[in-house]
Amino acid sequence: MAVRESLEVADGRRCEEDCDDDGHRPRRAGTAWTCAAHIITAVIGSGVLSLAWGVAQLGWVVGPACMFCFALVTYVSAALLAGCYRTGDREKGPRNPSYMDAVRAYLGKKHTWACGSLQYVSLYGCGVAYTITTATSIRAILKANCYHKHGHDAPCSYEGSYYMLVFGAAQLFLSFIPDFHDMAWLSVVAAVMSFSYAFIGLGLGMATTIANGTIKGSITGVPMRTPMQKIWRVSQAIGDIAFAYPYSLILLEIQDTLKSPPAENKTMKRASMISILVTTFFYLCCGCFGYAAFGSDAPGNLLTGFGFYEPYWLIDFANACIILHLLGGYQVYSQPIFQFADRFFAERFPDSGFVNDFHTVQLPCLPPWRVNLLRVCFRTVYVASTTAVAVAFPYFNEVLALLGALNFWPLAIYFPVEMYFIQRNVTRWSARWVVLQTFSVVCLLVSAFALVGSIEGLITQKLG
């Protein structure tokens, strides 16, 4: 009895020192800056590479205005959702460490199933998109080196499927990082890489524009043969921009890494403001200078549009930065699925050794490694499946547009607005209720327009 009491006292002291306010989680140590690094890693990804193409479809007026609008919408969405991190009291209420936890607490079981399905489809789709983008960047490096070595008329062509398999193998290794608390370093590295290739894309766009001696492009964007084709292109461009901005589906997982005090929602709003200002600046620069440099010939992937020629080493470095960034970005989007699977199977099979037991593996020249068989199997199947889908549908702009349209309204707008109504006790037909409902309906129409266009583009590419 004395031994047990002493253990309980010791555990209590240790928990006071090392545990968080729920009594069993590791103490969180995130700040606004680490939070901003996570967000930038998630947001400035493959989406930035398609923005020049998107602006080219929309033209000089609508293109930049569309990016400003999505930036504003993204901040409003983030601010609404950040306030739902704790149920009840926004500083001391029970925490909701994931998007689904918040929906369950505020909206109930039916909404949770709908939200979970959409969220995990979107997260899964981001893994597919990042696999496609990485293969494109690897091929761009190989092409640039080939043209530099053998001349601009050399038959430099490379199959993308092999490089998707290579990326999948790397992600299989990284997928055994336990959770967000253990990957701040990876997000910081990835954020640095995103700044690097965004600056290079901006610099090359500026240099090409100066070399051309003129600003290309037009008010109405790329001309098409029929009005219907123009409508499809505009809808795909909106979908691409929608993909580039929102991060609501992982916002609460990132917010769960923040220390308190100050209240997590205040820190998250600050981090969101910093991140959205930074990303909007880069998005406008890359999108507008890319369009100014190439006009109607703006490529779907900005860094594959500089001819693969000179300076080939700079294009190589930029694409290498993209690859390193997406190695981390894939994990930022995949970790919520991994954590959900771990919790789901642990609750469903509490007595299963396969699900709950950890085994120590000692590899030569490496520290001991704790392995869980469920994690090995689930994460291997997950990475393999995203790679397989990417190989089957390697269409960069169309895939991004489809994901942007699917993710934008339900996850970035509808659920945050509905949870905000409950969290703040907003009465029906009040001024605030009418404004937010109007905001939600407008975003729904935009999302539906982009979804139809992206599906049409994907079918056309696959059949064509």
Side-chain angles (χ1 to χ4, degrees):
M1 191 70 175
V3 172
R4 188 166 69 180
E5 287 178 357
S6 65
L7 287 174
E8 288 173 353
V9 170
D11 287 344
R13 291 198 191 100
R14 185 164 58 252
C15 193
E16 288 178 2
E17 296 173 0
D18 300 329
C19 292
D20 217 320
D21 52 21
D22 58 6
H24 66 275
R25 291 176 180 270
R27 183 176 295 277
R28 297 165 296 152
T31 65
W33 295 107
T34 61
C35 181
H38 282 310
I39 295 172
I40 291 171
T41 301
V43 176
I44 303 184
S46 55
V48 70
L49 304 175
S50 68
L51 292 178
W53 183 88
V55 174
Q57 311 313 310
L58 299 171
W60 274 120
V61 175
V62 179
C66 192
M67 282 194 274
F68 274 117
C69 289
F70 273 99
L72 178 61
V73 168
T74 301
Y75 178 74
V76 172
S77 170
L80 295 176
L81 191 54
C84 300
Y85 174 65
R86 290 183 182 269
T87 305
D89 191 306
R90 289 187 292 169
E91 296 188 9
K92 298 181 181 179
R95 287 160 40 191
N96 298 306
S98 71
Y99 197 113
M100 282 182 63
D101 289 331
V103 173
R104 184 182 299 110
Y106 284 100
L107 302 177
K109 188 174 181 179
K110 290 183 179 180
H111 282 82
T112 302
W113 280 104
C115 171
S117 300
L118 289 167
Q119 181 185 10
Y120 292 129
V121 166
S122 297
L123 290 170
Y124 183 89
C126 288
V128 174
Y130 281 17
T131 303
I132 296 171
T133 309
T134 302
T136 302
S137 294
I138 294 174
R139 291 166 60 197
I141 292 173
L142 295 174
K143 281 186 177 182
N145 292 341
C146 177
Y147 286 132
H148 177 75
K149 184 176 181 180
H150 301 291
H152 297 173
D153 296 325
C156 300
S157 180
Y158 299 92
E159 174 61 39
S161 300
Y162 171 77
Y163 305 108
M164 294 181 192
L165 296 175
V166 172
F167 181 76
Q171 289 302 330
L172 184 59
F173 174 77
L174 292 174
S175 292
F176 294 105
I177 297 174
D179 54 37
F180 271 124
H181 299 281
D182 298 295
M183 61 181 297
W185 63 272
L186 186 60
S187 283
V188 171
V189 171
V192 171
M193 294 298 102
S194 68
F195 277 116
S196 299
Y197 71 70
F199 270 121
I200 292 171
L202 170 60
L204 289 173
M206 293 177 63
T208 304
T209 302
I210 294 170
N212 292 338
T214 184
I215 296 176
K216 296 184 177 182
S218 66
I219 299 297
T220 57
V222 177
M224 303 299 293
R225 288 180 295 177
T226 66
M228 186 55 67
Q229 288 181 331
K230 182 65 176 180
I231 290 173
W232 293 136
R233 283 293 188 91
V234 168
S235 66
Q236 290 177 34
I238 292 174
D240 281 345
I241 297 174
F243 175 83
Y245 267 105
Y247 54 94
S248 56
L249 71 173
I250 58 169
L251 183 144
L252 293 181
E253 283 85 350
I254 295 175
Q255 190 168 342
D256 194 44
T257 68
L258 296 175
K259 64 182 179 181
S260 62
E264 298 91 348
N265 65 309
K266 295 179 180 178
T267 305
M268 175 54 77
K269 289 178 182 178
R270 180 186 173 201
S272 294
M273 178 63 75
I274 294 170
S275 303
I276 292 170
L277 287 174
V278 170
T279 55
T280 300
F281 171 77
F282 280 115
Y283 282 4
L284 285 169
C285 289
C286 290
C288 294
F289 276 109
Y291 184 39
F294 298 106
S296 296
D297 296 322
N301 182 331
L302 179 61
L303 288 175
T304 65
F306 295 98
F308 302 107
Y309 303 149
E310 307 299 335
Y312 83 100
W313 59 269
L314 186 60
I315 296 172
D316 283 359
F317 178 73
N319 281 290
C321 289
I322 292 173
I323 294 167
L324 291 175
H325 171 248
L326 297 186
L327 284 170
Y330 184 103
Q331 287 302 311
V332 169
Y333 280 102
S334 299
Q335 283 294 332
I337 296 180
F338 297 157
Q339 293 173 30
F340 170 77
D342 292 344
R343 291 196 304 267
F344 175 82
F345 286 108
E347 293 172 0
R348 184 64 62 89
F349 306 102
D351 299 322
S352 171
F354 177 81
V355 172
N356 298 294
D357 290 351
F358 284 82
H359 308 275
T360 301
V361 176
Q362 178 68 63
L363 298 176
C365 303
L366 292 175
W369 187 26
R370 298 182 72 230
V371 174
N372 176 270
L373 295 179
L374 172 67
R375 288 186 179 182
V376 171
C377 295
F378 179 83
R379 299 185 186 198
T380 299
V381 170
Y382 176 88
V383 173
S385 64
T386 58
T387 305
V389 173
V391 170
F393 297 94
Y395 312 119
F396 179 73
N397 291 98
E398 289 76 15
V399 170
L400 296 194
L402 178 63
L403 292 172
L406 282 174
N407 174 46
F408 176 61
W409 178 72
L411 296 178
I413 307 299
Y414 174 74
F415 288 114
V417 168
E418 293 300 315
M419 289 190 289
Y420 177 83
F421 287 157
I422 296 173
Q423 207 268 345
R424 288 296 190 93
N425 295 317
V426 178
T427 57
R428 188 178 289 266
W429 301 111
S430 65
R432 184 179 300 182
W433 186 91
V434 171
V435 169
L436 288 176
Q437 286 289 20
T438 303
F439 170 71
S440 180
V441 170
V442 171
C443 291
L444 170 61
L445 296 176
V446 171
S447 187
F449 177 60
L451 180 62
V452 172
S454 61
I455 292 174
E456 188 276 338
L458 197 62
I459 292 173
T460 300
Q461 287 280 9
K462 189 64 177 176
L463 297 180

